[in-house]
Amino acid sequence: ATGGAAARPGAPLGRLVRSPAGMPEPGAAAVEAALAAANLLDAWVCPDQPATAAALAGGAHDGYLAALPPQSRPAGRTLADVLVAEDQRDVPAEHLEAVLRSVAIVSTIEDLPAGTPVVSLAGQFGQGVQVGRFGKPHPEYIGATARARRPAARLAECPRRIAQLAGQTAAVELRTLAAGPL
């Protein structure tokens, strides 16, 4: 996304949804990883289709998620079966659900319907001619708990990283002293 996010209506998909209670963490992580790899996790969701059309017409350099017309949506399970709307005011739940119902969810890549936007429970994705897979140990962005865990984990890593950098600095200082004056 490029500038002006605070001034436009909506939010990135990852901030609007969470995994339902009871969804196993590996499955939630796989879905999030596939969405991230497919550039869907941080794609902007406007509050309705007219707002999406207006954003595109405005010439912004960005990606948006637009709900497919009901007749074009995939049959069977969709992201709406594995993600639910967060309690938020950026995008009405019914529009967000329409966007989620526009992306199929399958068990494995072998189940990927050709040409259908799809995410698998194994971290795979497909968008027309683009297919791929990504993995991660746990969700970092989808859901308030995951979003809170990420900075806490990064903060916990700081003392180890500081010690590592201090060691590297000391080694450079020793090499500098050994080299003598210039």
Side-chain angles (χ1 to χ4, degrees):
T2 57
R8 64 182 167 168
L13 178 65
R15 232 180 48 213
L16 297 171
V17 295
R18 63 178 170 77
S19 298
M23 183 172 187
E25 188 170 271
V31 169
E32 179 178 302
L35 290 172
N39 293 318
L40 299 175
L41 186 63
D42 61 356
W44 205 261
V45 181
C46 294
D48 53 34
Q49 294 294 75
T52 305
L56 290 171
H61 300 282
D62 208 345
Y64 297 90
L65 295 180
L68 293 173
Q71 68 275 14
S72 299
R73 294 180 192 158
R77 295 182 69 205
T78 66
L79 282 179
D81 295 310
V82 296
L83 296 174
V84 295
E86 281 278 25
D87 183 20
Q88 47 80 32
R89 296 180 184 182
D90 295 311
V91 176
E94 60 274 1
H95 179 64
L96 181 57
E97 184 167 324
V99 169
L100 295 174
R101 291 209 177 281
S102 297
V103 180
I105 186 84
V106 295
S107 296
T108 67
I109 194 139
E110 290 82 22
D111 301 332
L112 296 177
T116 301
V118 65
V119 171
S120 85
L121 295 173
Q124 302 155 322
F125 70 92
Q127 302 181 109
V129 298
Q130 180 189 23
V131 295
R133 182 180 190 285
F134 189 62
K136 54 173 48 182
H138 53 79
E140 299 174 287
Y141 301 101
I142 293 178
T145 302
R147 286 190 297 273
R149 179 177 28 198
R150 186 169 191 269
R154 292 181 72 183
L155 283 173
E157 175 69 10
C158 286
R160 186 200 65 78
R161 184 71 176 129
I162 289 169
Q164 179 185 31
L165 291 171
Q168 290 173 350
T169 301
V172 169
E173 289 173 349
L174 285 173
R175 283 196 306 270
T176 302
L177 288 174
L182 294 176

